[in-house]
């Protein structure tokens, strides 16, 4: 069990990473953790996430209402509350504006093509939620159709969010999302995108089934692109442990190299 003090340190660490990686500028972005008992620990509105002090964080109830802390909680707290309400497995939410992923969100392009095996295994596809005015209830309404099936979502003309069983894994998913968007951007500059074919995706599916689909990592197989390739036979969601994922990625790389 992690103490509130430890959660405070974790969030400050993730804020520094977001800022150092250029995933946020100035006072952008927000981070929260759902602590034992259901209270949320949330970053403050209007403060740079790269320079947070532990005492800057705010404790709220499960509806995002401040219990204690001197700053105002993030103006996007309703988006976090929606993620926690819809996903009992989620314990942390990270929202940022990573430039490549946000470029796709600005262009209205979802990250939903099976271009990289590791991304198919870890995140499935990354949908694009409709635009919602920041700090209003339009944002939680926009993510609601997607959050049950996805751990990472693009927010149209805004940025991205990622969720996870802890704040480090939620951050990792944000990093994977941005890395994928960066690679996809390079492929677009080169003028070619070669998605994994049906037989490759089918092999991925077979490898996933062999792994047993245990928590905590959730990967979506219900998205149209993958559904089409899997002939609609995919389970609604699959779950893998980190160890299983490492084995899977190794298997997939070998399988693709041997072809
Ligand atoms: Zn934002």
């Amino acid at each position: 069990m992690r103490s509130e003090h430890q959660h405070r340190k974790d969030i400050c660490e993730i804020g520094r990473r977001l800022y150092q990686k250029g995933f946020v500028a100035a006072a952008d972005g927000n981070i929260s953790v759902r602590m034992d008992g259901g209270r949320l620990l949330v970053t403050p509105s209007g403060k740079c996430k790269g320079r947070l002090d532990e005492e800057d964080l705010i404790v709220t109830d499960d509806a995002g209402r401040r219990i204690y802390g001197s700053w105002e909680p993030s103006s996007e707290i309703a988006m976090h509350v929606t993620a926690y309400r819809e996903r009992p497995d989620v314990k942390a939410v990270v929202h940022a504006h990573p430039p490549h992923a946000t470029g796709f969100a600005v262009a209205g392009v979802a990250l939903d093509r099976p271009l990289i095996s590791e991304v198919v295994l870890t995140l499935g596809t990354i949908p694009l939620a409709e635009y919602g005015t920041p700090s209003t209830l339009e944002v939680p309404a926009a993510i609601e159709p997607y959050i049950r099936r996805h751990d990472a979502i693009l927010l149209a003309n805004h940025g991205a969010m990622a969720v996870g069983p802890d704040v480090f894994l939620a951050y990792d998913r944000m990093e994977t999302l941005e890395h994928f968007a960066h690679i996809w951007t390079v492929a677009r500059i080169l003028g070619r995108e070669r998605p994994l074919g049906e037989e490759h995706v089918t092999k991925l599916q077979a490898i996933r089934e062999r792994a047993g689909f245990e928590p905590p990592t959730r990967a979506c197989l219900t998205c149209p692109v993958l559904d089409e390739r899997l002939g609609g036979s995919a389970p609604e969601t699959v779950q893998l442990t980190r160890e299983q994922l490492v084995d899977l990625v190794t298997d997939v790389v070998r399988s693709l190299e041997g072809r």
Side-chain angles (χ1 to χ4, degrees):
M1 186 182 294
R2 234 161 163 72
S3 68
E4 181 180 322
H5 176 64
Q6 190 60 53
H7 284 307
R8 285 177 184 269
K9 289 174 66 171
D10 294 346
I11 287 178
C12 292
E13 165 63 22
I14 293 305
R16 280 190 291 275
R17 288 192 200 179
L18 287 175
Y19 191 69
Q20 283 164 1
K21 294 281 281 186
F23 292 180
V24 290
D28 293 347
N30 33 75
I31 308 161
S32 72
V33 164
R34 175 157 54 185
M35 299 187 290
D36 295 320
R39 287 181 171 184
L40 309 183
L41 187 62
V42 184
T43 50
S45 179
K47 184 150 192 200
C48 175
K49 306 311 173 290
R51 299 192 297 270
L52 288 175
D53 294 318
E54 290 167 31
E55 58 268 27
D56 294 335
L57 305 180
I58 302 102
V59 173
T60 76
D61 64 13
D62 60 2
R65 291 174 296 231
R66 182 170 59 183
I67 298 172
Y68 57 89
S70 24
W71 291 73
E72 282 297 316
S74 165
S75 57
E76 298 292 4
I77 185 69
M79 175 174 70
H80 296 237
V81 167
T82 297
Y84 293 127
R85 188 189 67 224
E86 298 294 326
R87 291 279 300 274
D89 60 308
V90 164
K91 305 293 184 200
V93 177
V94 172
H95 163 59
H97 307 161
H100 295 88
T102 304
F104 278 77
V106 165
V109 180
L111 293 165
D112 61 357
R113 301 190 82 191
L115 295 175
I116 298 178
S117 54
E118 288 89 340
V119 176
V120 174
L121 288 168
T122 55
L123 291 179
T125 57
I126 301 158
L128 174 69
E130 279 181 26
Y131 176 73
T133 307
S135 83
T136 72
L137 293 177
E138 292 172 16
V139 179
I143 66 158
E144 214 169 335
Y146 303 103
I147 189 62
R148 282 183 211 164
R149 293 177 172 182
H150 297 271
D151 289 325
I153 300 172
L154 294 181
L155 310 173
N157 300 87
H158 183 172
M161 75 175 292
V163 300
D166 62 59
V167 75
F168 293 99
L169 194 46
Y171 169 82
D172 285 349
R173 287 169 174 164
M174 181 66 74
E175 195 172 86
T176 297
L177 173 156
E178 171 63 1
H179 198 227
F180 182 32
H182 195 169
I183 291 167
W184 194 337
T185 303
V186 172
R188 288 205 159 186
I189 291 168
L190 293 172
R192 291 185 70 191
E193 293 165 24
R194 294 196 304 162
L196 290 167
E198 181 178 347
E199 71 277 18
H200 294 176
V201 178
T202 303
K203 277 197 171 189
L204 288 173
Q205 165 70 355
I207 295 167
R208 296 169 82 149
E209 284 180 358
R210 282 209 308 275
F213 308 139
E214 295 300 320
T217 301
R218 180 186 297 260
C220 173
L221 281 176
T222 57
C223 311
V225 171
L226 288 177
D227 258 358
E228 186 186 321
R229 284 171 169 71
L230 296 171
S233 63
E236 185 165 305
T237 59
V238 293
Q239 296 186 314
L240 309 173
T241 62
R242 276 170 177 265
E243 290 74 17
Q244 286 170 335
L245 266 177
V246 170
D247 289 342
L248 281 175
V249 171
T250 307
D251 276 359
V252 169
V253 169
R254 280 196 194 126
S255 134
L256 295 177
E257 280 172 353
R259 138 183 331 274

